[in-house]
Amino acid sequence: MVFAVGLLVGNVPEGLLSVITLALGVRALVRRGAVVKRLSAVETLGSTDVICTDKTGTLTENHMRVSIVWTASGEQHLDGTSPGRPGDVAMRDLAVAMAACTNAQPDSAGGTVGDPTEVALLEAAARLGHRLTTTDRDQDRRRQFHFDPVLKLMSTLDERDGSVWVDAKGAPEAVIPRCTKIAEPDGCLHPLTPEERRVVEQRVDTYARQGLRVLAVADRRLQAEQPLPERRESAELSLTLLGLVAMLDPPRPEVAAAVADCHTAGIRITVVSGDHALTAAAIAHQLGIAGEQPMVVTGSKRSAVGTLDDKQWSAVRASVRRHAGRRAAALLPVHPPSRYQYRYAELNLLAPSIDAL
């Protein structure tokens, strides 16, 4: 009997049990819609220390809805039924510009398809009283400078009212520095003073702390004899700030529980986002990824296309070691993700998670 048992055990390959365990894990992942290219990836995933996750579309639903619109006349909450303010020229111009500077298109079901942000802008413009058909928008467009993820800005050249206008939208930190004037409720323009810039920036921070995604909208009327700008550097300057648009992108309902499971397993979560730092921090706090004051590393224009300097990376390393085993999060800028993964991997085994996958 002893000989038979020994012979049976000797015929079983040494790694069979581990292979069976991994195979069962792969089958469980497949049932939940996960794509597994190599069996060894499951084993690596089980050793993960840190998950690097995008925010929009991964932590949130990527279903935008404009909740607040702000101009020099004040803010207006859009509840789906509120009309635009009669006689508020700045609000009207804001609706016109943000509808023109989009590429969303109608679908066969009578809705609108395209980037969720642009779909939300078209819907908000309609609630403010400006219903622009995509056919008219495309016919009036003379040129487009596509959204640049480094500049965080998009602009179009559109013909209306007998003139050509530059319509621009983008991150407030990208649009506001390019503005020299601000539109008043009566349509008059006056120089954008340093004090007014601070007021606008404080308003941006207020919305971002609520977890709202904030865009700034601006325009500029070209002179009749002025040729169309060939480069965006010539178009996106001396703009008039029309206002701010704050959008709500609700967190996915299942994310909070998944985050709690990660913390229980000793896995730290890092949010890698191109959004405003305060917006990303607010969403991270809402989902339990981080406390009220997470470590936030923002990339300057230089580091967005290159690397963080040694001092910044030393701060990241020190914080990771200091918060090891506790609920903490580092929010890193999004460009370029591979570079941050390599530098962060000096301390951790990473599992990047992005909505594109």
Side-chain angles (χ1 to χ4, degrees):
M1 175 64 76
V2 175
F3 176 77
V5 173
L7 184 63
L8 180 62
V9 173
N11 287 331
V12 177
E14 183 178 351
L16 180 60
L17 293 179
S18 61
V19 171
I20 292 176
T21 302
L22 291 174
L24 292 175
V26 170
R27 186 171 66 175
L29 290 172
V30 170
R31 286 176 177 174
R32 302 186 64 176
V35 179
V36 180
K37 185 177 180 181
R38 291 192 300 268
L39 195 63
S40 59
V42 179
E43 183 179 6
T44 303
L45 189 61
S47 304
T48 297
D49 298 311
V50 176
I51 295 177
C52 293
T53 176
D54 181 35
K55 182 184 73 67
T56 304
T58 303
L59 301 179
T60 63
E61 296 179 354
N62 199 23
H63 182 70
M64 307 290 179
R65 178 175 60 84
V66 175
S67 58
I68 303 175
V69 175
W70 179 91
T71 65
S73 62
E75 68 178 21
Q76 178 173 349
H77 292 259
L78 301 184
D79 57 7
T81 59
S82 57
R85 296 173 179 172
D88 192 336
V89 179
M91 190 72 72
R92 181 203 65 190
D93 291 346
L94 173 69
V96 171
M98 70 182 184
C101 192
T102 61
N103 285 315
Q105 296 291 338
D107 60 10
S108 57
T112 308
V113 296
D115 182 87
T117 298
E118 297 191 341
V119 172
L121 292 177
L122 284 176
E123 293 173 348
R127 292 204 297 272
L128 290 171
H130 180 69
R131 296 185 178 275
L132 176 67
T133 66
T134 56
T135 301
D136 292 339
R137 178 199 62 192
D138 297 341
Q139 288 178 348
D140 294 338
R141 181 168 297 173
R142 295 294 172 263
R143 189 159 295 160
Q144 173 178 306
F145 299 104
H146 292 277
F147 176 77
D148 187 309
V150 175
L151 297 177
K152 298 183 180 181
L153 187 66
M154 171 188 172
S155 63
T156 57
L157 303 183
D158 305 292
E159 186 174 341
R160 60 177 177 268
D161 302 330
S163 301
V164 176
W165 295 75
V166 178
D167 295 313
K169 73 174 191 297
E173 62 269 23
V175 175
I176 295 174
R178 290 174 167 81
C179 294
T180 58
K181 299 177 182 179
I182 186 170
E184 291 294 328
D186 58 2
C188 295
L189 309 180
H190 74 260
L192 184 60
T193 64
E195 179 60 30
E196 288 172 322
R197 291 180 188 273
R198 285 192 290 271
V199 170
V200 176
E201 291 167 355
Q202 290 172 359
R203 180 67 59 172
V204 172
D205 290 349
T206 298
Y207 294 148
R209 287 192 178 94
Q210 300 173 28
L212 300 176
R213 189 176 191 181
V214 187
L215 295 180
V217 182
D219 68 4
R220 176 165 67 95
R221 190 174 195 164
L222 299 181
Q223 299 297 325
E225 68 281 359
Q226 183 178 353
L228 297 183
E230 297 288 343
R231 299 172 57 85
R232 68 186 315 150
E233 292 82 0
S234 303
E236 298 165 349
L237 53 78
S238 301
L239 300 174
T240 296
L241 179 64
L242 299 176
L244 303 173
V245 179
M247 292 176 286
L248 177 65
D249 183 15
R252 292 181 181 272
E254 67 274 15
V255 170
V259 168
D261 290 342
C262 288
H263 288 153
T264 302
I267 300 174
R268 294 188 300 277
I269 300 176
T270 297
V271 179
V272 184
S273 176
D275 270 352
H276 194 286
L278 293 177
T279 300
I283 295 296
H285 177 57
Q286 291 175 21
L287 294 173
I289 294 175
E292 294 184 358
Q293 295 182 337
M295 184 185 73
V296 181
V297 180
T298 57
S300 63
K301 182 176 292 186
R302 169 184 167 274
S303 62
V305 296
T307 61
L308 297 179
D309 58 36
D310 291 338
K311 184 177 181 180
Q312 289 174 304
W313 279 115
S314 295
V316 172
R317 294 190 189 96
S319 180
V320 169
R321 293 191 180 98
R322 185 169 61 253
H323 296 301
R326 303 187 336 188
R327 192 180 76 169
L331 286 83
L332 302 179
V334 73
H335 303 294
S338 59
R339 186 62 173 173
Y340 295 113
Q341 290 169 15
Y342 293 149
R343 295 295 295 271
Y344 211 57
E346 295 174 7
L347 295 172
N348 304 278
L349 180 59
L350 297 179
S353 170
I354 57 176
D355 57 337
L357 295 180

